[in-house]
Amino acid sequence: MSPDSATPRAENACFTIHGIGVSGGIAIGHAHLFHGMSTEVAHYEIAGHDVGREQRRYDRAVKEVRDELQALTDDVLHGPASELAPFVNVHRMLLEDAAFSEAPREIIREQRCNAEWALRSQLDELTAQFGDIEDEYLREREADVRQVAERVLAALAGSRRRLPVKPAREDAEMILVARDLSPADVILFHEHPFAAFLTDMGGATSHTAIIARSMAMPAVVALHHSRSLIREDELIVVDGNEGIVVVNPSPAALAEYRLRQNQERLAREKLRQIRSAPAITLDREPVALHANIELPTDMDAVRESGATGIGLFRSEFLFMNRADLPSEDEQYEAYREVVEGMQGKPVTIRTLDIGADKALDGQENLAENPALGLRAIRYCLAEPRLFNAQLRAILRASRHGRAQILIPMICSQHEITLALAAVARAKAELKEEGVKFDSQVPVGAMIEIPAAAIALPMFIRSLDFLSIGTNDLIQYTLAIDRTDDAVSHLYDPLHPAILALVAGVIRTATRHGKPIAVCGEMAGDVRLTRLLLGFGLRHFSMHPASLLAVKQRILTTDLAGIEATVAKVLRSDDPDRIAALVDKLNA
């Protein structure tokens, strides 16, 4: 039972809180409450002759935060937390934006108010703009804006966000409980023995969640009331797999979680033993296991997982949270780093998957439904210079290894024709300039719109390979937003329509001799591994943390033995029967 935040509770009462598990694993420890910095501020008027002084006070606070973030970046750049530096850089870049550097100064001048109130007013205006954004990643950038504002407010108040120098208890693991955490806060975990963290705010694609996964640290977010419900030093269990927090667990529950924690540890050790083993089924069918990445800094996790390639390099992360566009040379260096790092293994780079819900030049978005608007390939075709710069960068990087170009959100032959023409133009330019590149770079498309899955035979011959983006395919097919609490329970990868589309795309690609991968969440869900194998899938791409578990399931799969059960799944339209058959596949 989850208690209401306003209801008093008895001392040491046992209860559970449900949130979103963003990083798997189980942690058991004592709570440490991190108070952070409140954004509630006083409002008072200032005299006209004090406006300049108040603006300078604001400027000093911004500079202090900028210097603090720069120092933190420098400290971690060559240490064990170096992969986290780009997330702090996002906050540094936000500070340089006019929304922080200029707008509050204007509010001080126009309203003759204190700097804290000016920043609070600007923060309210900025966060209001996020309400209409449907894209999960972009919507959660609101947290970055708020975290930067909180740091400046702290500087104005003469304080800083800091984790404790050392945990209150040295005889037990500690779990951090916070309203929210910034990437800079989480970096300090490298200096403190926290076993896990949980926050009232956040989502699955927040920077803090991404960092938690990269550190393999159990984490649960979006708990809403944990800071008001949990008391300092209380014993808690964090189940990052299920998104559950158990406060003051009973002896029986504690024993059960300790057993599961030990079983997970043994399972992880066992999985590491198969890292270098080829992924082959019991009947000797080879399977390719590739990794999904966001930034070049993810490469250590890829190597640790034993992935045999990069199945999805989400290039839009190079474009996010900055006032300018990355140049062709900047993109080239990022792509080259990954391509070289894979040492001849394939690297599939998805072209910019961003749209009207994020105006790259910082102008206001006017689209009423960004998810169905000018996004992904539609956006790139509407911005040919931006698209050309990215294609040139990918092609230049192709000479350093095996690069592939993946076009997102393809819907028609017309889009494919235009995209391939853009690739041809980029090649012709580079050839004329004498720049070396792989002239045979494969070009593929993501199948994530139902129309593309249904009409695939009409344009498959124009492509070198395919990749099914199950996240969007499910949302578009079922007409639901899985990030919307009101309908997220309807997000169902086992819906008969989804299974029919995925299986149909795999069959069509196989029939035409085209390599086909699944790169959405379904690929990393070990419960669905055998089902996808039964559909004929031989190429999976997933988060590196999921790869070894999927490999283990493949190594214990007899394709002939699952064939009949998979056929029954495709023939069934009963959700309960489908679920039972999938359980049978995994028995």
Side-chain angles (χ1 to χ4, degrees):
M1 180 178 68
S2 299
D4 185 271
S5 60
T7 303
R9 64 179 179 86
E11 189 75 23
N12 298 323
C14 174
F15 60 92
T16 62
I17 318 174
H18 295 263
I20 300 173
V22 296
S23 185
I26 294 171
I28 301 171
H30 292 265
H32 174 72
L33 274 56
F34 178 50
H35 296 278
M37 177 67 189
S38 172
T39 54
E40 296 301 320
V41 299
H43 178 205
Y44 55 86
E45 294 183 4
I46 60 175
H49 59 79
D50 286 333
V51 166
R53 183 170 59 184
E54 193 69 6
Q55 288 177 325
R56 289 191 293 275
R57 187 168 79 91
Y58 178 77
D59 292 341
R60 285 194 299 270
V62 171
K63 183 180 185 301
E64 179 181 330
V65 173
R66 186 187 300 116
D67 292 345
E68 179 185 353
L69 294 177
Q70 180 62 61
L72 185 57
T73 302
D74 294 341
D75 287 343
V76 303
L77 202 54
H78 303 292
S82 60
E83 73 279 7
L84 309 184
F87 296 101
V88 182
N89 284 333
V90 167
H91 285 199
R92 287 176 51 218
M93 288 186 289
L94 281 174
L95 274 177
E96 304 297 334
D97 191 274
F100 279 101
S101 63
E102 296 296 334
R105 301 179 88 259
E106 286 301 304
I107 294 174
I108 293 171
R109 181 183 61 81
E110 293 172 358
Q111 300 184 17
R112 292 188 179 181
C113 63
N114 56 309
E116 293 88 347
W117 183 257
L119 178 56
R120 176 72 231 194
S121 300
Q122 174 66 0
L123 177 61
D124 289 343
E125 182 176 338
L126 289 173
T127 54
Q129 297 175 13
F130 285 87
D132 296 330
I133 293 178
E134 296 193 15
D135 182 272
E136 179 184 11
Y137 178 84
L138 298 175
R139 187 170 60 247
E140 288 182 358
R141 299 293 65 77
E142 176 185 352
D144 294 302
V145 171
R146 179 169 33 77
Q147 289 161 359
V148 170
E150 288 182 359
R151 283 189 173 275
V152 177
L153 286 170
L156 286 167
S159 62
R160 294 184 178 184
R161 289 168 65 92
R162 282 288 184 263
L163 297 178
V165 174
K166 63 179 181 179
R169 299 174 59 103
E170 297 184 357
D171 60 335
E173 291 191 315
M174 301 294 293
I175 294 173
L176 200 66
V177 182
R179 174 178 175 270
D180 194 16
L181 292 170
S182 74
D185 295 325
V186 180
I187 282 178
L188 296 177
F189 283 169
H190 283 269
E191 303 171 10
H192 302 279
F194 290 109
F197 73 81
L198 45 105
T199 64
D200 286 340
M201 306 185 72
T205 64
S206 66
H207 282 161
T208 304
I210 294 170
I211 291 173
R213 288 192 288 270
S214 74
M215 297 169 65
M217 175 181 290
V220 179
V221 302
L223 288 161
H224 303 301
H225 303 299
S226 65
R227 282 285 288 104
S228 59
L229 289 170
I230 299 174
R231 298 169 183 169
E232 183 73 26
D233 207 37
E234 284 190 307
L235 183 64
I236 57 177
V237 175
V238 177
D239 185 344
N241 304 316
E242 301 296 332
I244 295 173
V245 176
V246 183
V247 183
N248 295 315
S250 66
L254 184 60
E256 173 66 21
Y257 275 109
R258 289 199 187 281
L259 175 62
R260 288 171 55 186
Q261 189 180 44
N262 189 52
Q263 289 173 334
E264 286 195 354
R265 179 183 60 80
L266 294 173
R268 285 194 301 271
E269 292 177 359
K270 184 177 179 181
L271 285 176
R272 279 195 286 269
Q273 298 174 8
I274 65 172
R275 183 177 60 182
S276 59
I280 302 175
T281 65
L282 291 174
D283 36 5
R284 311 306 297 170
E285 181 74 19
V287 179
L289 295 180
H290 290 185
N292 298 342
I293 67 169
E294 284 84 34
L295 294 165
T297 50
D298 296 332
M299 289 298 293
D300 286 343
V302 173
R303 284 186 280 268
E304 182 66 22
S305 73
T308 54
I310 302 295
L312 179 63
F313 184 166
R314 297 183 174 100
S315 67
E316 58 271 15
F317 278 67
L318 299 174
F319 291 73
M320 297 287 192
N321 300 300
R322 53 188 298 164
D324 60 343
L325 294 174
S327 67
E328 177 186 324
D329 287 342
E330 183 181 344
Q331 291 185 67
Y332 161 70
E333 290 297 335
Y335 305 146
R336 180 188 59 78
E337 181 179 347
V338 173
V339 171
E340 284 186 339
M342 290 308 294
Q343 300 180 332
K345 298 183 179 71
V347 175
T348 302
I349 302 171
R350 182 174 69 185
T351 58
L352 184 61
D353 190 359
I354 201 168
D357 47 3
K358 170 77 171 185
L360 292 179
D361 59 3
Q363 296 187 4
E364 186 178 359
N365 163 46
L366 300 176
E368 292 187 7
N369 194 336
L372 301 179
L374 192 66
R375 56 162 294 200
I377 187 57
R378 302 170 183 176
Y379 185 90
C380 288
L381 292 176
E383 298 287 344
R385 286 192 296 179
L386 178 150
F387 195 30
N388 179 257
Q390 181 172 40
L391 292 174
R392 285 173 56 97
I394 297 172
L395 289 168
R396 288 170 58 192
S398 69
R399 67 181 292 246
H400 300 286
R402 292 175 57 193
Q404 301 188 144
I405 299 172
L406 181 62
I407 310 296
M409 205 177 174
I410 285 293
C411 185
S412 67
Q413 177 64 53
H414 180 63
E415 289 172 337
I416 294 174
T417 300
L418 293 176
L420 292 176
V423 174
R425 280 193 298 273
K427 287 182 176 180
E429 291 175 2
L430 293 175
K431 186 174 182 180
E432 184 176 347
E433 296 166 13
V435 178
K436 293 182 179 180
F437 64 93
D438 179 4
S439 61
Q440 303 300 315
V441 172
V443 179
M446 287 194 75
I447 306 301
E448 47 194 338
I449 297 176
I454 295 168
L456 186 56
M458 297 172 57
F459 54 74
I460 192 172
R461 292 176 181 83
S462 303
L463 300 164
D464 296 313
F465 67 97
L466 300 169
S467 186
I468 306 175
T470 56
N471 300 354
D472 271 342
L473 183 63
I474 293 171
Q475 295 189 91
Y476 286 132
T477 304
L478 302 183
I480 59 102
D481 178 0
R482 65 176 175 147
T483 68
D484 184 340
D485 289 343
V487 296
S488 60
H489 63 286
L490 300 174
Y491 183 89
D492 181 14
L494 292 180
H495 189 289
I498 302 301
L499 298 180
L501 284 174
V502 172
V505 170
I506 294 171
R507 280 196 305 267
T508 301
T510 303
R511 188 166 61 248
H512 286 81
K514 303 289 184 179
I516 174 75
V518 168
C519 63
E521 293 297 317
M522 286 180 71
D525 188 343
V526 71
R527 182 173 177 242
L528 304 180
T529 299
R530 286 180 177 156
L531 181 63
L532 292 172
L533 287 170
F535 287 172
L537 186 68
R538 299 294 181 265
H539 184 168
F540 295 68
S541 188
M542 67 202 73
H543 190 282
S546 304
L547 195 141
L548 290 178
V550 170
K551 179 186 283 190
Q552 183 184 51
R553 187 58 52 91
I554 290 169
L555 294 173
T556 58
T557 297
D558 174 16
L559 293 176
I562 66 173
E563 186 176 332
T565 304
V566 171
K568 290 178 182 177
V569 169
L570 286 175
R571 289 196 299 267
S572 178
D573 58 5
D574 181 348
D576 292 336
R577 177 164 171 73
I578 290 173
L581 289 169
V582 170
D583 288 341
K584 181 180 178 181
L585 284 173
N586 294 304

